[in-house]
């Protein structure tokens, strides 16, 4: 990834973490690099959230003025994951428990293709659904980022919903498999020692 805007680094869960400024900081990832997230996949990260405003944590997202594509991990007081399948309506899964601000928490989303999605917090399952819709991507238009929503060239490359001033993201990993509940717990427990386990 490439640091953009006023991105800085400060003490994280392991070494330094990406630290955002709420106005123009994000990490830009290679175009279309996550278009393969249509089958089984998982996204894991440690996050330290500072306020309730809508903030993008990870997105591989595009909008053409009428329909949406891709996936987004975000929060607006509650962690949530959205799948966009080339329609005007996202499939949303939200953690029903409000965020604890100013501390690192472990967030994991797992997806079983055509079967459903789970969201975990601090090693435990928080919510799940059985929605069969898989994400759809618009080739050549996806702009994956950490710390914001990037709408892509279909919508003038608008960037919105920056991670808040002081919000931190650390140890972000993406797998092309559905992590098991045991693997999620192991990842959470590794927060006191080593991190990348598998």
């Amino acid at each position: 990834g490439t640091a953009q805007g006023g991105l800085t680094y400060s003490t994280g869960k392991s070494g330094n973490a990406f630290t955002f400024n709420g106005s123009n900081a994000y990490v830009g990832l290679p175009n279309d690099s996550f278009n393969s997230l249509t089958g089984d996949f998982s996204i894991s990260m440690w996050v330290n959230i500072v306020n309730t405003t809508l903030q993008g944590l990870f997105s591989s997202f595009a909008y053409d003025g009428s329909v949406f594509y891709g996936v987004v991990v975000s929060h607006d007081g509650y962690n949530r994951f959205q799948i966009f399948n080339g329609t005007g309506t996202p499939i949303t899964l939200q953690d029903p428990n409000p965020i604890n601000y100013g501390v690192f928490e472990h967030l994991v989303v797992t997806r079983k293709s055509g079967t459903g999605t789970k969201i975990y917090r601090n090693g435990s399952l928080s919510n799940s659904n059985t929605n069969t819709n898989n994400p759809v991507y618009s080739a050549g238009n996806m702009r994956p980022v950490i710390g914001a929503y990037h709408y892509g060239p279909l919508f003038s490359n608008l960037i919105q919903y920056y991670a808040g001033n002081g919000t931190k993201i650390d140890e972000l990993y993406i797998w092309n498999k559905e992590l098991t509940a045991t693997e999620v717990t192991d990842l959470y427990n590794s927060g006191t020692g080593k991190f990348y386990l598998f």
Side-chain angles (χ1 to χ4, degrees):
T2 304
Q4 303 289 340
L7 185 78
T8 58
Y9 306 89
S10 61
T11 302
K13 190 66 180 175
S14 171
N16 287 334
F18 296 130
T19 306
F20 302 90
N21 65 7
S23 60
N24 66 1
Y26 66 97
V27 179
L29 301 166
N31 296 345
D32 293 325
S33 54
F34 294 98
N35 289 12
S36 62
L37 295 183
T38 55
D40 298 355
F41 63 88
S42 301
I43 303 169
S44 166
M45 68 184 81
W46 285 88
V47 293
N48 185 329
I49 305 295
V50 296
N51 60 52
T52 61
T53 59
L54 175 59
Q55 300 177 36
L57 302 175
F58 168 80
S59 65
S60 181
F61 174 76
Y63 178 58
D64 69 2
S66 60
V67 299
F68 301 91
Y69 303 90
V71 296
V72 171
V73 181
S74 65
H75 92 89
D76 58 356
Y78 298 82
N79 293 319
R80 67 182 183 183
F81 175 71
Q82 293 178 293
I83 289 174
F84 301 89
N85 62 348
T87 69
T89 304
I91 297 97
T92 301
L93 179 63
Q94 180 166 293
D95 182 345
N97 305 298
I99 288 169
N100 294 314
Y101 296 101
V103 296
F104 272 103
E105 295 194 309
H106 191 230
L107 170 62
V108 178
V109 173
T110 68
R111 172 75 186 159
K112 184 69 174 174
S113 178
T115 301
T117 305
K118 297 174 182 176
I119 190 166
Y120 294 83
R121 181 172 170 190
N122 294 332
S124 299
L125 181 66
S126 291
N127 204 356
S128 63
N129 66 25
T130 55
N131 192 283
T132 59
N133 290 279
N134 294 321
V136 172
Y137 300 91
S138 176
N141 298 302
M142 308 304 296
R143 301 292 184 265
V145 300
I146 300 169
Y149 286 51
H150 194 310
Y151 284 66
L154 291 173
F155 204 69
S156 303
N157 284 307
L158 175 68
I159 304 175
Q160 280 190 323
Y161 308 122
Y162 292 96
N165 186 19
T167 288
K168 300 180 182 183
I169 298 176
D170 201 3
E171 298 292 330
L172 190 149
Y173 300 115
I174 298 175
W175 290 265
N176 61 350
K177 72 171 197 170
E178 179 192 27
L179 295 179
T180 66
T182 298
E183 288 171 331
V184 171
T185 300
D186 286 347
L187 271 175
Y188 171 67
N189 289 335
S190 76
T192 57
K194 66 180 183 179
F195 281 78
Y196 184 77
L197 299 177
F198 2 95

